[in-house]
Amino acid sequence: MKAVENKKKNKKKKMAIAVMSGDLDKLFGAFIIATSAAASNMDVTMFFTFWGLRAIKKNGRTGKSLMGKMMGVLEGGDINKANPSKYSMGGLGRWMFKRMMKAKKVATLPELRQMALDLGVKLYGCQMSMDVMEIPKESLIDETLECVGGAFFVDKALEADVQFFI
Amino acid sequence: MKAVENKKKNKKKKMAIAVMSGDLDKLFGAFIIATSAAASNMDVTMFFTFWGLRAIKKNGRTGKSLMGKMMGVLEGGDINKANPSKYSMGGLGRWMFKRMMKAKKVATLPELRQMALDLGVKLYGCQMSMDVMEIPKESLIDETLECVGGAFFVDKALEADVQFFI
Amino acid sequence: MKAVENKKKNKKKKMAIAVMSGDLDKLFGAFIIATSAAASNMDVTMFFTFWGLRAIKKNGRTGKSLMGKMMGVLEGGDINKANPSKYSMGGLGRWMFKRMMKAKKVATLPELRQMALDLGVKLYGCQMSMDVMEIPKESLIDETLECVGGAFFVDKALEADVQFFI
C-alpha cells in the first residue's frame, strides 16, 4: 500500500523557485507562477533569500547591530511595503500600482500569498541571508516552514521538473 | 502516419521563457537564448509580462484612465525604447549601448525579434499585466500569438526541457 | 570499460547558470547555488554575460574606443567592486554589506569563486558581450575556460537537469 502511495506521490510534478527579489512586480510574478502551478496539482517550493525575505516577513523592525538596524529601517515592513522594480518614486509607484491592480480586480500580494499557502505551496527562508541581514526567525510569518541553506534549495531544484530564479 | 508524426513532433526539445524585464540587456539576452535554441531546432515559447511587454509593443501611447495614461507615457514606445538596466541616464546609456553594438556589428533588438519570429519562436502576451497596465491587444505587434494567463505559461514551462525567468 | 566509464559520467547531474547580473547579491546567490551543487557532485557550468562578466574580470581598466573606455571606467574593477542591487549609494552599500557578511563569517565573493573553481565549476565568458563592452580575454581571470557564444550556453542548458538565469 505504502509503495503505491509513494509512487503516486512521486508522480506529482514539482517546481522550485528561488526568490531573491523583493520587488512588487517580481513577487507578483513569483506568486502567480507558484499558485498556478499548485492549482495544477504541482508540488511547489519557494525559497526566499535576501530582498525576497520581505515576502514572508511580519511587519516590524529588525536588526541588532547598528548596521542591522539601518537595514531594518531601509528594508523594514512586510509584503505590503514592496515597491515596483521601476518607478518606486518614494512609494508613489507602489501606491499607483496597487490602485491600478485594484481597479482591475487583480489579487493583492498578501491575498496571493494566502492563496499559495492554501494550495499547499511550501515557503522557506534562507538562513544565511537572515543571518547577514539580522532577521530572526520570529520576524517571519508563522507559516514559514523552516529556515534553510542554499544546499537545501539546490536539492529541491534538482528533484523539481521546473526551476526558476526570480 | 499521424502517430509517427506526433511522435516525431514530441521529440522536439522545448524551451519556455518568461520575460518580465523590459531592459535592453535582459531583452537582448532573452532573444539571443531564444534564437539560439530555435536555430538548434528547439520549440521556443516566450511569455512577455509587465515591463517585458515592451518587447512586443507597437510604438504608440496606451492607457485609458489617468494612471493608465501616465504609465503609457512612462513606459511608452516599442522595443527600440528599451533602456539598459544600468546607466539608463535619460536615454544616454541606450544611445551608447546601441552605438557600441553597431560598432561590433551585433544584431539590434528588432532584428533579433524578427529572427526569432522567422525561426518559429512563439510570442505570447500576459493578459493580466496588459489589463493592469491598460495595454490593449491592438497595441501589440501582429505576430503576437495570443494574450494568455500565468497558468498557460506554467503549462508550457512544465512540458519544456529548459525554462528561464528573465 | 570506456562505455561503463561514460555511463557513470553521464549519470552525473548537471546544472547550467547564465549570469547576466554583476550585483553583489546576485553574484552571491549564483556562487552559493553553484558551489552547493558542485559539492553535491553535480557538474556545474556558469556562463557570464554583460554585467556578470565582472565576476571573472581581473582588476584593471578595459576599452579601446572612447565609449569602450567610458564603459571600462564605469564598470571597471573586478569581483570586489560589485555593488548590491539595492542601496549601492556610491559604494556605501557595498561597504556595509561586506561588513555585515564579515560579521557573520560568511564567505566573500572571491572566496566563493575560488571554492567554485576548487570544486570543478566551469566558468565561461560570453564572447559577444565581451566584444560589445571591449573586454579582451586577457582581462578575464586565467581560470576562465573559454569565451563562447549564446549557442554554447543553450547546449549546456539543454543537457542540464537544472538551469537558471540570474
mmCIF file of all heavy atoms in Angstrom, chain A residues 24 27 54-55 57 59 77-83 94 98 108-111 113:
data_model
loop_
_atom_site.group_PDB
_atom_site.id
_atom_site.type_symbol
_atom_site.label_atom_id
_atom_site.label_comp_id
_atom_site.label_asym_id
_atom_site.label_seq_id
_atom_site.Cartn_x
_atom_site.Cartn_y
_atom_site.Cartn_z
ATOM 1 N N LEU A 24 7.756 44.471 -5.890
ATOM 2 C CA LEU A 24 6.321 44.205 -6.035
ATOM 3 C C LEU A 24 6.021 43.355 -7.271
ATOM 4 O O LEU A 24 5.319 42.332 -7.199
ATOM 5 C CB LEU A 24 5.586 45.557 -6.126
ATOM 6 C CG LEU A 24 4.096 45.574 -6.431
ATOM 7 C CD1 LEU A 24 3.321 44.819 -5.386
ATOM 8 C CD2 LEU A 24 3.585 47.014 -6.512
ATOM 9 N N LEU A 27 7.667 39.771 -7.078
ATOM 10 C CA LEU A 27 6.952 38.918 -6.125
ATOM 11 C C LEU A 27 5.605 38.508 -6.710
ATOM 12 O O LEU A 27 5.155 37.373 -6.550
ATOM 13 C CB LEU A 27 6.745 39.649 -4.796
ATOM 14 C CG LEU A 27 7.995 39.893 -3.963
ATOM 15 C CD1 LEU A 27 7.627 40.575 -2.651
ATOM 16 C CD2 LEU A 27 8.715 38.582 -3.677
ATOM 17 N N ARG A 54 11.366 39.784 2.279
ATOM 18 C CA ARG A 54 10.249 40.680 2.536
ATOM 19 C C ARG A 54 8.901 39.964 2.361
ATOM 20 O O ARG A 54 7.927 40.245 3.070
ATOM 21 C CB ARG A 54 10.303 41.872 1.581
ATOM 22 C CG ARG A 54 9.100 42.792 1.694
ATOM 23 C CD ARG A 54 9.121 43.873 0.625
ATOM 24 N NE ARG A 54 10.203 44.821 0.811
ATOM 25 C CZ ARG A 54 10.243 45.751 1.769
ATOM 26 N NH1 ARG A 54 9.253 45.841 2.615
ATOM 27 N NH2 ARG A 54 11.251 46.578 1.860
ATOM 28 N N ALA A 55 8.868 39.031 1.428
ATOM 29 C CA ALA A 55 7.612 38.342 1.106
ATOM 30 C C ALA A 55 7.079 37.503 2.256
ATOM 31 O O ALA A 55 5.892 37.186 2.295
ATOM 32 C CB ALA A 55 7.812 37.456 -0.126
ATOM 33 N N LYS A 57 8.042 38.238 5.628
ATOM 34 C CA LYS A 57 8.305 38.946 6.886
ATOM 35 C C LYS A 57 7.011 39.475 7.484
ATOM 36 O O LYS A 57 6.089 39.839 6.781
ATOM 37 C CB LYS A 57 9.266 40.124 6.654
ATOM 38 C CG LYS A 57 10.697 39.803 6.965
ATOM 39 C CD LYS A 57 11.539 41.048 7.184
ATOM 40 C CE LYS A 57 11.490 41.994 5.993
ATOM 41 N NZ LYS A 57 12.347 43.174 6.193
ATOM 42 N N ASN A 59 5.339 42.549 9.723
ATOM 43 C CA ASN A 59 5.606 43.979 9.760
ATOM 44 C C ASN A 59 6.307 44.310 11.077
ATOM 45 O O ASN A 59 5.849 43.938 12.139
ATOM 46 C CB ASN A 59 4.297 44.770 9.650
ATOM 47 C CG ASN A 59 4.545 46.160 9.102
ATOM 48 O OD1 ASN A 59 5.686 46.538 8.847
ATOM 49 N ND2 ASN A 59 3.492 46.921 8.912
ATOM 50 N N GLY A 77 9.313 46.462 7.250
ATOM 51 C CA GLY A 77 7.976 46.280 6.716
ATOM 52 C C GLY A 77 7.814 44.952 6.029
ATOM 53 O O GLY A 77 8.779 44.281 5.690
ATOM 54 N N ASP A 78 6.554 44.602 5.828
ATOM 55 C CA ASP A 78 6.233 43.285 5.285
ATOM 56 C C ASP A 78 5.952 43.351 3.784
ATOM 57 O O ASP A 78 6.368 44.296 3.108
ATOM 58 C CB ASP A 78 5.034 42.708 6.043
ATOM 59 C CG ASP A 78 3.819 43.618 5.923
ATOM 60 O OD1 ASP A 78 3.904 44.624 5.168
ATOM 61 O OD2 ASP A 78 2.797 43.337 6.570
ATOM 62 N N ILE A 79 5.259 42.360 3.294
ATOM 63 C CA ILE A 79 4.994 42.219 1.865
ATOM 64 C C ILE A 79 4.242 43.424 1.295
ATOM 65 O O ILE A 79 4.363 43.743 0.117
ATOM 66 C CB ILE A 79 4.229 40.887 1.617
ATOM 67 C CG1 ILE A 79 4.297 40.472 0.153
ATOM 68 C CG2 ILE A 79 2.792 40.967 2.113
ATOM 69 C CD1 ILE A 79 3.792 39.061 -0.100
ATOM 70 N N ASN A 80 3.483 44.098 2.152
ATOM 71 C CA ASN A 80 2.732 45.279 1.688
ATOM 72 C C ASN A 80 3.626 46.451 1.327
ATOM 73 O O ASN A 80 3.190 47.380 0.653
ATOM 74 C CB ASN A 80 1.751 45.730 2.776
ATOM 75 C CG ASN A 80 0.589 44.785 2.895
ATOM 76 O OD1 ASN A 80 -0.167 44.614 1.955
ATOM 77 N ND2 ASN A 80 0.463 44.151 4.060
ATOM 78 N N LYS A 81 4.857 46.422 1.795
ATOM 79 C CA LYS A 81 5.766 47.543 1.544
ATOM 80 C C LYS A 81 6.628 47.326 0.299
ATOM 81 O O LYS A 81 7.525 48.123 0.039
ATOM 82 C CB LYS A 81 6.677 47.744 2.771
ATOM 83 C CG LYS A 81 5.935 48.231 4.002
ATOM 84 C CD LYS A 81 5.824 49.736 4.018
ATOM 85 C CE LYS A 81 4.830 50.267 5.051
ATOM 86 N NZ LYS A 81 4.939 49.673 6.377
ATOM 87 N N ALA A 82 6.365 46.264 -0.423
ATOM 88 C CA ALA A 82 7.161 46.003 -1.629
ATOM 89 C C ALA A 82 6.936 47.096 -2.663
ATOM 90 O O ALA A 82 5.798 47.484 -2.931
ATOM 91 C CB ALA A 82 6.791 44.644 -2.215
ATOM 92 N N ASN A 83 8.025 47.613 -3.210
ATOM 93 C CA ASN A 83 7.963 48.627 -4.267
ATOM 94 C C ASN A 83 8.147 47.991 -5.626
ATOM 95 O O ASN A 83 8.842 46.990 -5.744
ATOM 96 C CB ASN A 83 9.083 49.658 -4.072
ATOM 97 C CG ASN A 83 8.746 50.684 -3.021
ATOM 98 O OD1 ASN A 83 7.656 51.233 -3.009
ATOM 99 N ND2 ASN A 83 9.690 50.943 -2.129
ATOM 100 N N ARG A 94 4.356 52.432 -5.860
ATOM 101 C CA ARG A 94 3.656 51.357 -5.162
ATOM 102 C C ARG A 94 2.168 51.671 -5.056
ATOM 103 O O ARG A 94 1.312 50.844 -5.354
ATOM 104 C CB ARG A 94 4.254 51.203 -3.765
ATOM 105 C CG ARG A 94 3.585 50.133 -2.925
ATOM 106 C CD ARG A 94 4.374 49.868 -1.667
ATOM 107 N NE ARG A 94 4.257 50.944 -0.705
ATOM 108 C CZ ARG A 94 5.231 51.383 0.083
ATOM 109 N NH1 ARG A 94 6.415 50.843 0.010
ATOM 110 N NH2 ARG A 94 5.046 52.358 0.933
ATOM 111 N N LYS A 98 -0.755 49.573 -6.951
ATOM 112 C CA LYS A 98 -1.808 48.925 -6.175
ATOM 113 C C LYS A 98 -3.177 49.410 -6.627
ATOM 114 O O LYS A 98 -4.120 48.625 -6.718
ATOM 115 C CB LYS A 98 -1.594 49.205 -4.686
ATOM 116 C CG LYS A 98 -0.472 48.377 -4.077
ATOM 117 C CD LYS A 98 -0.465 48.500 -2.570
ATOM 118 C CE LYS A 98 0.646 47.671 -1.953
ATOM 119 N NZ LYS A 98 0.762 47.898 -0.505
ATOM 120 N N THR A 108 -4.265 41.026 -4.482
ATOM 121 C CA THR A 108 -3.114 41.707 -3.885
ATOM 122 C C THR A 108 -2.044 40.670 -3.535
ATOM 123 O O THR A 108 -2.316 39.471 -3.496
ATOM 124 C CB THR A 108 -3.506 42.433 -2.595
ATOM 125 O OG1 THR A 108 -3.937 41.450 -1.646
ATOM 126 C CG2 THR A 108 -4.644 43.417 -2.849
ATOM 127 N N LEU A 109 -0.840 41.160 -3.235
ATOM 128 C CA LEU A 109 0.240 40.247 -2.854
ATOM 129 C C LEU A 109 -0.105 39.415 -1.612
ATOM 130 O O LEU A 109 0.091 38.191 -1.631
ATOM 131 C CB LEU A 109 1.539 41.020 -2.611
ATOM 132 C CG LEU A 109 2.456 41.223 -3.822
ATOM 133 C CD1 LEU A 109 3.745 41.894 -3.396
ATOM 134 C CD2 LEU A 109 2.761 39.894 -4.492
ATOM 135 N N PRO A 110 -0.645 40.035 -0.539
ATOM 136 C CA PRO A 110 -0.992 39.204 0.636
ATOM 137 C C PRO A 110 -2.064 38.165 0.292
ATOM 138 O O PRO A 110 -2.011 37.038 0.794
ATOM 139 C CB PRO A 110 -1.539 40.227 1.643
ATOM 140 C CG PRO A 110 -0.983 41.542 1.210
ATOM 141 C CD PRO A 110 -0.820 41.468 -0.267
ATOM 142 N N GLU A 111 -2.995 38.519 -0.577
ATOM 143 C CA GLU A 111 -4.012 37.553 -0.999
ATOM 144 C C GLU A 111 -3.391 36.409 -1.787
ATOM 145 O O GLU A 111 -3.718 35.241 -1.587
ATOM 146 C CB GLU A 111 -5.083 38.235 -1.852
ATOM 147 C CG GLU A 111 -6.067 39.091 -1.053
ATOM 148 C CD GLU A 111 -6.888 40.038 -1.929
ATOM 149 O OE1 GLU A 111 -6.677 40.044 -3.166
ATOM 150 O OE2 GLU A 111 -7.725 40.792 -1.389
ATOM 151 N N ARG A 113 -0.297 35.380 -1.591
ATOM 152 C CA ARG A 113 0.494 34.545 -0.680
ATOM 153 C C ARG A 113 -0.413 33.609 0.112
ATOM 154 O O ARG A 113 -0.105 32.424 0.293
ATOM 155 C CB ARG A 113 1.308 35.427 0.274
ATOM 156 C CG ARG A 113 2.241 34.617 1.166
ATOM 157 C CD ARG A 113 3.010 35.501 2.123
ATOM 158 N NE ARG A 113 2.122 36.172 3.069
ATOM 159 C CZ ARG A 113 2.505 37.148 3.907
ATOM 160 N NH1 ARG A 113 3.748 37.582 3.892
ATOM 161 N NH2 ARG A 113 1.648 37.699 4.731
#
